[in-house]
Each structure stands twice: as structure tokens, then as C-alpha cells.
Amino acid sequence: MLKEFPADLHVHTCLSPCAEDEMVPPNILNMARLMGIKILGVADHNSAKNLPAMVEASCGFDGLILPGIEVQTREEVHVLCYFESLKVAMEFQDFIYEHLPPKKNDPRRLGRQYLVDKMGNVTGEEERLLIASADLSVDEVAEKVFDFGGIFIPAHVERMSFGIIGQLGFIPEDMKVHAVEFSKNVSVDEARYRFPDIFAKYPVVFSSDAHCLKDMVFKKTYFLLEEPTFEEVKRAFKGWGGRMVVLKDKF
Ligand SMILES: [Zn+2]
Ligand SMILES: [Zn+2]
């Protein structure tokens, strides 16, 4: 039997320099519980280093955590990459790290990149500059994500900054994607009206892109699945056996 599972596929932790210090695993999970989220994607900029703490903290969370990374490509496009397990996400991070510029973060100018444990205690800081473009094209990242058996979703496509349409002007015809993400800045109706071609061609998700807890007060995307698992989410993107993404503007 298929059931609807509320989802928010795009939340940052305090590892992202632009995210608030409060974005630690226990707070994120409590907020997800309050919002009734059953599928939670966690994706920091170009790094997976807080995912082990996130996954550890989620023991007891009644839902699915999708370990992800929001990669910034050479074209300054943000793309969301999710993996079936923490292990694969960490391997993918190693690949991305090989392609980041060898620069250090400037915490005073860009913000701190906190590493935390499952309780949210700071255990260190990532010194590598995460707010940077990897030396990889959108296509190269997509290809790698598919090689890793992951899920590939261009992020906040309607945004002029770091959205694929804003940066490239279009979504390349032959690009393989599982879905396309719109940000919380646009309503479902407005996005449908402005981008009918995208809605006709791709599954669409709306995510909070939360950088602070109050941004997580957001729920528009539901997955119709048998159970919240990585494979079932993939099946929903393919429309397999009635599984699908359901969009709602009100909750
Ligand atoms: Zn982004
Ligand atoms: Zn983001």
C-alpha cells in the first residue's frame, strides 16, 4: 500500500559557513519531527563531514535520512547529490575534495565551518574553503553521481544565483537528472506558470534549503511510497508502480 511521506530534501548543518550555529543534528532532527518530516535530506556545501554525526543522531528518528552534498560546479551551479549510505557519500566527498581549490576558509569573512558530534558539540572546524566551485562541470558531477548509484537534482533552479537556469539559461536537453528542485521563494503555482516545460519533463521537488531552524517550517513535497527508503524515493522519481512526488502548497 502506498502512503504519503512528507519530505524536505535540502537542509544545511553548521558545517556550511552560511548556516547558523544552531544547525546541529539534535536540533535539525527535532525540527524535522515537529514538522512531521519523514524524508530528510541533509546537504552541506561541497562536504559530507557532518553526515556521520547526523546519521548517528538519527538513530530513533522515525524516517529516512538522505545523506547528501550540495556541490558547486565550475559553472557556479548548485546541484544536490544524495547517496544510499553514509559510506558512499563519504567516498563521493573524497572525489569532490580532489576537485576543490586548495584554499583555506576565512572564518571572519565567510563564517565558521563547524564539525560536530551527534550531540551537537563542536569537535573541530573544516579548514578547507567550502564556498568555492569544484573544477567539475555539471555534466561531470551528474555522471559521477549516477556512477555512485546516487540521486542527482539541480538545486533551486529558479534562483538567478547558483541556479542552473540563472547560470546556464536552461537545463541541457540531454542531461540526466532524477528531479529538479525549486526553492521556497516561489510558490508551486508560480513555478508551474513560469516553468511549464520543466514540470512537463521532470519530477519536481520543493525544499527549504534551510540554513537556520526557522527555515525548516516548510512542507510542500510529499513522496507516495510503500516505505521511506532510498530505493523507493528513486522509484517515485521514475513513477514506478504508482509511486510519485506530490506537491502541496498548504499544510
Ligand atoms: Zn545552493
Ligand atoms: Zn543549499
Side-chain angles (χ1 to χ4, degrees):
M1 238 251 300
L2 299 178
K3 255 180 70 182
E4 271 183 8
F5 295 94
D8 186 351
L9 300 189
H10 188 166
V11 170
H12 288 263
T13 80
C14 53
L15 173 56
S16 295
C18 38
E20 297 293 327
D21 298 354
E22 67 190 15
M23 295 305 275
V24 295
N27 290 348
I28 291 171
L29 289 164
N30 281 335
M31 201 62 187
R33 281 188 192 101
L34 280 175
M35 292 306 301
I37 295 296
K38 298 293 183 194
I39 302 174
L40 178 68
V42 181
D44 281 310
H45 293 292
N46 290 325
S47 182
K49 284 201 174 170
N50 270 348
L51 292 178
M54 202 61 225
V55 169
E56 236 187 295
S58 72
C59 171
F61 177 69
D62 178 24
L64 172 71
I65 303 292
L66 284 179
I69 299 181
E70 182 175 20
V71 176
Q72 184 172 316
T73 70
R74 187 187 290 144
E75 305 91 339
E76 300 205 323
V77 168
H78 285 186
V79 291
L80 293 157
C81 312
Y82 305 97
F83 302 94
E84 183 157 25
S85 69
L86 183 58
K87 185 171 169 284
V88 183
M90 300 311 285
E91 281 170 24
F92 182 77
Q93 171 197 263
D94 293 343
F95 167 72
I96 295 300
Y97 270 30
E98 283 168 21
H99 292 275
L100 286 179
K103 290 184 184 163
K104 281 194 164 185
N105 183 38
D106 177 353
R108 272 175 308 179
R109 203 167 57 85
L110 299 171
R112 295 203 172 270
Q113 300 180 158
Y114 288 119
L115 299 167
V116 292
D117 65 15
K118 67 172 180 176
M119 303 300 288
N121 301 308
V122 175
T123 55
E125 283 184 51
E126 174 59 293
E127 289 196 350
R128 184 187 276 268
L129 178 69
L130 295 179
I131 295 289
S133 293
D135 184 21
L136 293 162
S137 68
V138 177
D139 281 334
E140 285 167 335
V141 176
E143 200 176 310
K144 201 72 180 175
V145 173
F146 277 85
D147 281 354
F148 275 61
I151 292 173
F152 181 77
I153 301 180
H156 42 67
V157 294
E158 90 292 353
R159 266 179 42 189
M160 286 313 287
S161 58
F162 302 114
I164 194 166
I165 297 171
Q167 293 301 110
L168 304 184
F170 56 92
I171 299 179
E173 189 73 16
D174 55 351
M175 200 167 88
K176 277 207 305 184
V177 304
H178 286 90
V180 165
E181 184 205 68
F182 284 92
S183 80
K184 62 177 179 302
N185 301 337
V186 63
S187 72
V188 175
D189 284 348
E190 187 190 340
R192 255 189 236 282
Y193 178 75
R194 283 174 55 196
F195 303 98
D197 297 352
I198 289 182
F199 277 78
K201 190 168 175 189
Y202 306 105
V204 168
V205 296
F206 282 70
S207 310
S208 71
D209 196 2
H211 285 67
C212 61
L213 291 171
K214 70 172 167 41
D215 286 351
M216 289 180 71
V217 181
F218 180 88
K219 198 160 75 178
K220 284 186 183 174
T221 302
Y222 297 72
F223 282 83
L224 194 60
L225 310 172
E226 268 198 358
E227 50 181 350
T229 64
F230 186 82
E231 278 310 314
E232 280 282 288
V233 169
K234 264 186 164 177
R235 287 177 191 142
F237 290 140
K238 291 187 184 130
W240 197 79
R243 290 156 183 80
M244 64 170 107
V245 182
V246 179
L247 301 175
K248 300 180 190 182
D249 235 343
K250 302 219 161 35
F251 61 86

